[in-house]
């Protein structure tokens, strides 16, 4: 069972405030890549009644991200635990309150972290307090107050760094891919590495090659050059799910449950397991109440949730979404984006979404790439 962490209710705690050290802590940011060296000193420790539950000698904010997974896997609260973290800036503080930890010790605390702790009732002790920590992540989150939004930003930065440095973290690798149709070059030398659980937005003008890229990844459009690698390549047919604006013809007489069951039709499992997968997928996407309704009577947002459930039922770990919000109203768009974000953040499902509506959505935690004339261009990670 997965453990969902919630923000503590706002309150002002009695905090021990040491004399301020002042100034900036320069060069204190731990790199987003890699982990601590063997035998390195512990930089983070979670304890309860003096007993260590979790320790880490990792770098940057990875120890707190690892702690998040540790607490989720244990399925219990950390509210009665004490956390030692060697360096705590605003980013770390937002992750800490997201874990409902109430007591924190640190060697170095940024003043930017103090309002976060005060707002969430966290008691803290610090050896030294500085005005700020010289760190790109700190600057990105300087005005952020939502711990969940901060988590998405930090997680996205960590994933992007890991994907670049460690092939084992990649769910999808597009390398030097070109697609030529007749005399037209649709895609030219496209390179895209996407990590497990990463969320990537692809934008571009009509005809730029966005859908062609998705279909090349899916395997329905063969590349003229280059390669596409998917984790567990032998299971490619089931590991990738594809959703476009209208996955099933509206006029076709089929129920929502039957649409989801299409995902398991060719999977070699028992009927009982197929029924379990269908039910679980519909519950995960919160469309189980629609199971017996005819697909053609559903709203646009409901149809897309059913289509995503079909992908989950087949066992997809990579979701390719081609303009999935194009026919939805504002609330439908918000709910669909929230669903795929939840799947990425909680189940490490990789999401690659093509959209024209980049400016209208909250892009926190998404990596943005753009296609122009068949070539892929990286864009600064969105906030």
């Amino acid at each position: 069972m997965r453990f969902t962490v919630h923000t503590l209710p706002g309150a002002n705690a009695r905090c021990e405030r040491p004399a301020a050290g002042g100034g900036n802590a320069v060069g204190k940011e731990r790199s987003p890549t890699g982990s601590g060296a063997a035998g390195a000193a512990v930089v983070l420790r979670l304890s309860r009644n003096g007993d260590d539950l979790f320790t880490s000698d990792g770098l940057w904010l990875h120890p707190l991200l690892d702690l998040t997974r540790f607490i989720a896997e244990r399925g219990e609260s950390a509210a009665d635990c004490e956390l030692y973290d060697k360096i705590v800036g605003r980013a770390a503080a937002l992750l800490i309150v997201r874990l409902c930890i109430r007591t924190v010790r640190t060697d170095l605390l940024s003043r930017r972290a103090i309002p976060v702790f005060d707002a969430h009732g966290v008691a803290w002790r610090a050896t030294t307090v500085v005005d700020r920590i010289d760190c790109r992540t700190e600057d990105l989150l300087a005005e952020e107050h939502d711990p969940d939004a901060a988590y998405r930003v930090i997680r996205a930065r960590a994933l992007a760094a890991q994907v670049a440095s460690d092939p084992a973290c990649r769910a999808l690798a597009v390398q030097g891919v070109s697609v030529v149709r007749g005399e037209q070059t649709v895609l030219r030398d496209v390179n895209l590495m996407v990590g497990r659980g990463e969320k990537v937005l692809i934008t571009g003008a009509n005809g730029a090659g966005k859908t062609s890229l998705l279909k090349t990844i899916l395997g329905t459009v063969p590349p003229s050059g280059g390669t596409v690698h998917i984790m567990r390549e032998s299971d490619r047919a089931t590991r990738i799910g594809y959703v476009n604006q209208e996955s099933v013809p509206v006029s076709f007489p089929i129920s929502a449950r039957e649409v989801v069951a299409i995902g398991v039709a060719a999977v070699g499992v028992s009927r009982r397991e197929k029924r379990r997968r269908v039910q679980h997928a519909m519950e995960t996407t919160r469309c189980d109440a629609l199971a017996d309704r005819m697909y053609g009577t559903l709203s646009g947002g409901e149809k897309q949730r059913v289509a995503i459930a079909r992908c989950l039922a087949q066992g997809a770990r990579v979701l390719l979404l081609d303009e999935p919000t194009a026919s939805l109203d504002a609330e439908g768009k918000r709910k669909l984006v929230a669903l795929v974000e939840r799947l990425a953040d909680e189940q490490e499902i990789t999401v690659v979404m093509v959209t024209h509506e980049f400016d209208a959505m909250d892009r926190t935690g998404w990596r943005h790439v753009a296609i122009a004339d068949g070539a892929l261009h990286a864009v600064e990670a969105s906030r």
Side-chain angles (χ1 to χ4, degrees), residues 264 269-283 312-313:
V264 295
V269 295
S270 67
R271 289 184 179 180
R272 181 177 180 180
E273 174 61 14
K274 287 181 179 180
R275 288 194 297 270
R276 188 201 67 78
R277 286 193 184 191
V278 168
Q279 181 63 26
H280 183 259
M282 298 193 81
E283 290 174 354
L312 298 184

Side-chain angles (χ1 to χ4, degrees), residues 3-313:
F3 171 67
T4 303
V5 290
H6 301 281
T7 303
L8 290 170
N12 289 324
R14 293 175 56 192
C15 303
E16 296 183 49
R17 299 178 183 273
N24 297 338
V26 180
K28 294 293 185 179
E29 178 178 21
R30 292 166 284 190
S31 168
T33 61
S35 59
V42 169
V43 299
L44 183 141
R45 175 185 292 108
L46 183 74
S47 58
R48 178 184 287 130
N49 299 324
D51 295 326
D52 289 350
L53 303 178
F54 178 92
T55 61
S56 175
D57 61 2
L59 303 176
W60 191 60
L61 293 161
H62 288 292
L64 279 169
L65 293 174
D66 292 340
L67 178 60
T68 298
R69 286 189 289 272
F70 172 80
I71 291 174
E73 289 167 0
R74 288 175 65 96
E76 61 183 57
S77 172
D80 60 343
C81 296
E82 179 180 87
L83 180 74
Y84 164 75
D85 193 358
K86 186 176 180 65
I87 301 173
V88 175
R90 187 177 183 87
L94 287 161
L95 291 180
I96 289 167
V97 300
R98 187 175 183 272
L99 293 172
C100 300
I101 295 170
R102 299 176 183 272
T103 306
V104 176
R105 293 187 300 109
T106 182
D107 295 343
L108 183 71
L109 181 72
S110 166
R111 289 189 186 278
R112 288 178 171 180
I114 294 174
V116 176
F117 283 159
D118 286 353
H120 294 275
V122 177
W124 57 268
R125 287 181 295 163
T127 303
T128 303
V129 177
V130 295
D131 290 335
R132 64 185 295 273
I133 295 172
D134 191 9
C135 165
R136 170 65 173 157
T137 309
E138 291 293 288
D139 294 338
L140 280 174
L141 299 175
E143 303 300 324
E144 184 59 71
H145 299 281
D146 181 358
D148 288 330
Y151 169 73
R152 292 195 297 270
V153 171
I154 294 164
R155 184 174 176 275
R157 285 173 59 77
L159 282 170
Q162 287 175 331
V163 167
S165 63
D166 185 1
C169 294
R170 297 170 188 167
L172 168 66
V174 178
Q175 297 175 299
V177 164
S178 297
V179 172
V180 179
R181 294 176 184 159
E183 297 183 356
Q184 180 186 11
T185 299
V186 180
L187 296 174
R188 62 182 79 240
D189 194 26
V190 171
N191 293 280
L192 179 64
M193 309 296 175
V194 186
R196 294 193 301 270
E198 191 174 8
K199 305 183 291 287
V200 177
L201 283 175
I202 300 178
T203 61
N206 287 333
K210 303 184 300 297
T211 296
S212 295
L213 175 57
L214 291 192
K215 290 185 175 181
T216 302
I217 295 171
L218 186 63
T220 58
V221 172
S224 305
T227 59
V228 177
H229 294 289
I230 308 295
M231 62 177 180
R232 294 179 60 178
E233 188 76 24
S234 61
D235 297 337
R236 181 169 181 160
T238 59
R239 303 302 280 183
I240 302 180
Y242 177 72
V243 176
N244 57 14
Q245 294 180 42
E246 187 65 68
S247 298
V248 177
V250 173
S251 59
F252 195 78
I254 189 171
S255 71
R257 180 186 284 110
E258 289 170 326
V259 170
V260 178
I262 292 172
V264 295
V267 178
V269 295
S270 67
R271 289 184 179 180
R272 181 177 180 180
E273 174 61 14
K274 287 181 179 180
R275 288 194 297 270
R276 188 201 67 78
R277 286 193 184 191
V278 168
Q279 181 63 26
H280 183 259
M282 298 193 81
E283 290 174 354
T284 299
T285 55
R286 297 171 185 169
C287 64
D288 46 314
L290 309 174
D292 296 322
R293 287 182 53 186
M294 299 306 292
Y295 180 81
T297 68
L298 303 181
S299 69
E302 290 170 340
K303 289 175 184 174
Q304 295 299 60
R305 295 211 311 274
V306 168
I308 292 173
R310 169 179 53 80
C311 297
L312 298 184

